[in-house]
């Protein structure tokens, strides 16, 4: 850290160290800082590899668990399918037997029905003869009854009253018998017709039943084929998952080996990084001490520019205070209000709007004042950046990858090193600094801090970063 009360060398210090020597110390510090930055980036890469290995391990464990569950499920499905297939096979055998016997049974039933109809036909002839005879007997009985009635009248006329009464009774009985015979003949005719109809219906139903066996048998054969294919498919899937288990086992071994190798590399990397960090600190101190004795010409240009820009910024701000466009309360407001959903976190104060309108155009113009200026910004004593150059004050998108590099206005940038610079009361402070290039890498710059004072109170610093 350079602490100087003047930009120009005084007291003969320029004769003590050659400017080129100071420049070499600065370049050496920059080179060491680049090395440390690359080591840090490599360490982050190794950490990412560790994360990748963990993810691979989780994937392998999930695959292993899935293989076990699927294998268990396949065993259950295979057992159930085999059992169902066996039952279907038994049912198919029985239905096939029924189908083979169906024609014979159908012929037998048809024969029995035909025999019954034939016998009924013969019986029907006998019954018809009997009915004819009964009909004739009925007619004879009626004729005889008429004769008896005539004879009874004659007997009554001949005073044979007892004979007449007997003949009348006999005539009535004959009429009753004739009526009963006629009724029985009618009943026999009705029963014959009903029996013949029922026999035909039974024959049709049996034929439909036998014919209906063909479709269920075809369906059962299809189901049997599907189940057989399912069993074979299950066997093939089981073989595939057996191979997957082998892959999972090999993957676990590879992950374990890679983790051991990364662990060994990381230990060595951390040791190298620690030594390089100490060397970086020593080279920075060498540059700072050398610069304190006498700035190189290339550094002197930018230190002078930083002081000039500080003076211009102070004049711009004091003018706004005098005109009432800005108040000291706004200027020194440290009530940092978090901007909702900002990531990384950004803040606002009552100074923000004025700084965006007045300081941002000034900072943009400062970027063009020398060929190698990398950044120009104002930070208060807490590291708060009320505004930034336009290239670093873009609208937030919510994507941290974009917002980290392009939305730096409103950030609070403060650590132990910055605290030392804020506490330094010298005219300027110079150091070597690794600055994020907003694309995952970094650039090494030289950074000048020049104090900003308003109303006799230190507000913070004007900062100018440059590369040579």
């Amino acid at each position: 850290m350079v602490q100087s009360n003047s930009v120009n060398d005084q007291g003969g210090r320029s004769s003590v160290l050659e400017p080129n020597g100071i420049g070499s110390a600065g370049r050496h510090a920059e080179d060491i800082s680049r090395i440390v930055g690359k080591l840090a980036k490599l360490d982050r890469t190794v950490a990412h590899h560790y994360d990748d290995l963990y993810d691979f391990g989780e994937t392998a464990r999930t695959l292993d668990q899935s293989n076990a569950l699927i294998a268990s499920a396949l065993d259950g499905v295979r057992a159930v399918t085999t059992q169902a297939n066996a039952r279907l096979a038994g049912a198919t055998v029985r239905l096939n037997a029924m189908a083979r016997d169906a024609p014979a049974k159908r012929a037998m039933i048809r024969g029995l029905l035909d025999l019954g109809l034939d016998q009924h036909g013969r019986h029907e002839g006998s019954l018809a003869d009997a009915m004819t005879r009964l009909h004739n007997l009925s007619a004879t009985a009626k004729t005889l009854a008429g004769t008896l009635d005539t004879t009874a009248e004659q007997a009554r006329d001949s005073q044979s009253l007892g004979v007449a009464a007997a003949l009348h009774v006999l005539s009535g009985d004959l009429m009753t018998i004739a009526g009963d015979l006629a009724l029985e003949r009618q009943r026999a005719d009705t029963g014959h017709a009903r029996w013949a109809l029922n026999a035909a219906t039974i024959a049709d139903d049996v034929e439909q039943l036998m014919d209906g066996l063909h479709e269920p048998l075809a369906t059962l054969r299809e189901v049997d084929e599907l189940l057989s294919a399912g069993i074979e498919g299950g066997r093939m899937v089981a073989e595939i998952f057996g191979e997957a288990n082998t892959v999972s086992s090999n993957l676990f071994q590879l992950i374990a080996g890679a983790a051991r190798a990364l662990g060994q590399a990381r230990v060595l990397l951390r040791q190298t990084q620690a030594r390089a960090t100490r060397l970086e600190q020593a080279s920075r101190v060498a540059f700072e001490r050398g610069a304190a004795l006498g700035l190189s010409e290339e550094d002197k240009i930018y230190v002078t520019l930083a002081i000039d820009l500080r003076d211009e910024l102070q004049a711009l701000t004091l003018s706004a205070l005098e005109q009432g466009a800005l108040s000291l309360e706004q200027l020194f407001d440290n009530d940092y209000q978090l901007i909702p959903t900002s990531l990384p976190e950004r803040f606002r104060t009552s100074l923000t709007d004025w700084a965006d309108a007045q300081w941002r155009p000034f900072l943009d113009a400062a970027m063009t004042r020398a060929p190698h200026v990398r950044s120009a910004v104002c930070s208060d004593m807490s590291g708060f950046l009320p505004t930034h150059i336009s290239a670093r004050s873009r609208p937030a998108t919510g994507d941290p990858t974009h917002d980290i590099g392009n939305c730096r206005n409103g950030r609070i940038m403060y650590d132990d090193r910055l605290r030392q610079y804020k506490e330094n009361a010298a005219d300027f402070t110079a150091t070597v600094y690794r600055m994020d290039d907003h694309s995952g890498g970094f650039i090494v710059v030289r950074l000048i801090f020049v104090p900003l004072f308003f109303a006799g109170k230190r507000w913070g610093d004007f900062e100018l970063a440059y590369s040579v």
Side-chain angles (χ1 to χ4, degrees), residues 98-418:
M98 290 176 64
R100 286 193 302 270
D101 295 342
K105 290 183 178 180
R106 181 168 54 193
M108 181 183 67
I109 292 172
R110 172 59 70 183
L112 290 173
L113 290 172
D114 290 343
L115 178 61
L117 288 172
D118 183 62
Q119 292 177 350
H120 182 268
R122 291 197 298 273
H123 290 162
E124 181 184 15
S126 300
L127 183 59
D129 291 341
M131 291 301 103
T132 300
R133 289 194 297 273
L134 283 175
H135 179 71
N136 292 336
L137 287 173
S138 177
T140 302
K142 288 180 180 180
T143 302
L144 180 58
T147 304
L148 287 176
D149 285 338
T150 302
T151 304
E153 290 298 328
Q154 291 175 356
R156 189 180 295 112
D157 292 340
S158 65
Q159 301 298 317
S160 299
L161 298 176
V163 175
L167 290 172
H168 277 300
V169 171
L170 179 58
S171 174
D173 290 340
L174 285 172
M175 291 298 290
T176 300
I177 289 171
D180 290 341
L181 286 171
L183 180 61
E184 289 301 323
R185 183 179 182 279
Q186 182 181 2
R187 288 177 178 173
D189 289 339
T190 303
H192 166 262
R194 185 178 299 139
W195 192 89
L197 178 63
N198 289 340
T201 302
I202 291 171
D204 292 339
D205 290 344
V206 170
E207 289 182 353
Q208 291 178 3
L209 175 63
M210 296 307 174
D211 292 339
L213 287 174
H214 295 295
E215 184 175 352
L217 282 172
T219 301
L220 282 175
R221 281 192 289 272
E222 292 178 1
V223 172
D224 183 64
E225 292 174 358
L226 288 174
L227 285 173
S228 298
I231 291 173
E232 178 63 19
R235 185 187 63 77
M236 294 176 64
V237 172
E239 291 177 358
I240 292 173
F241 277 98
E243 295 177 1
N245 282 329
T246 302
V247 172
S248 296
S249 177
N250 293 337
L251 182 58
F252 276 126
Q253 294 177 4
L254 288 173
I255 290 172
R260 286 192 297 271
L262 274 178
Q264 295 170 356
R266 197 172 195 183
V267 169
L268 180 60
L269 176 62
R270 290 290 175 85
Q271 293 173 350
T272 304
Q273 193 175 7
R275 288 194 293 268
T277 300
R278 290 193 294 269
L279 183 59
E280 178 189 33
Q281 179 65 23
S283 64
R284 185 186 300 119
V285 169
F287 166 71
E288 292 170 351
R289 289 177 177 175
L293 296 175
L295 288 168
S296 66
E297 292 301 321
E298 58 189 5
D299 291 315
K300 188 182 298 183
I301 293 171
Y302 288 97
V303 171
T304 301
L305 175 61
I307 293 175
D308 290 344
L309 289 170
R310 186 275 315 270
D311 293 343
E312 294 173 16
L313 184 70
Q314 282 187 157
L316 170 69
T317 306
L318 290 172
S319 175
L321 289 170
E322 292 172 356
Q323 295 174 9
L326 177 70
S327 67
L328 285 174
E329 289 75 14
Q330 287 177 277
L331 188 60
F332 286 93
D333 184 6
N334 60 2
D335 183 16
Y336 308 117
Q337 299 294 315
L338 177 65
I339 298 175
T341 71
S342 58
L343 188 67
E345 291 182 342
R346 296 186 301 124
F347 301 85
R348 288 180 55 85
T349 69
S350 58
L351 173 62
T352 297
D353 291 338
W354 185 89
D356 285 340
Q358 302 298 324
W359 281 358
R360 181 179 296 170
F362 179 87
L363 297 175
D364 288 340
M367 296 289 292
T368 66
R369 295 280 287 270
H372 301 298
V373 174
R374 294 289 187 174
S375 179
V377 72
C378 301
S379 63
D380 72 6
M381 295 301 288
S382 299
F384 172 62
L385 312 177
T387 191
H388 211 298
I389 59 176
S390 296
R392 297 291 178 258
S393 302
R394 303 185 185 278
T397 64
D399 177 9
T401 303
H402 170 274
D403 294 351
I404 286 175
N406 296 286
C407 308
R408 299 180 74 84
N409 54 314
R411 296 280 302 278
I412 294 179
M413 316 289 285
Y414 198 77
D415 56 21
D416 288 341
R417 284 184 61 194
L418 290 174

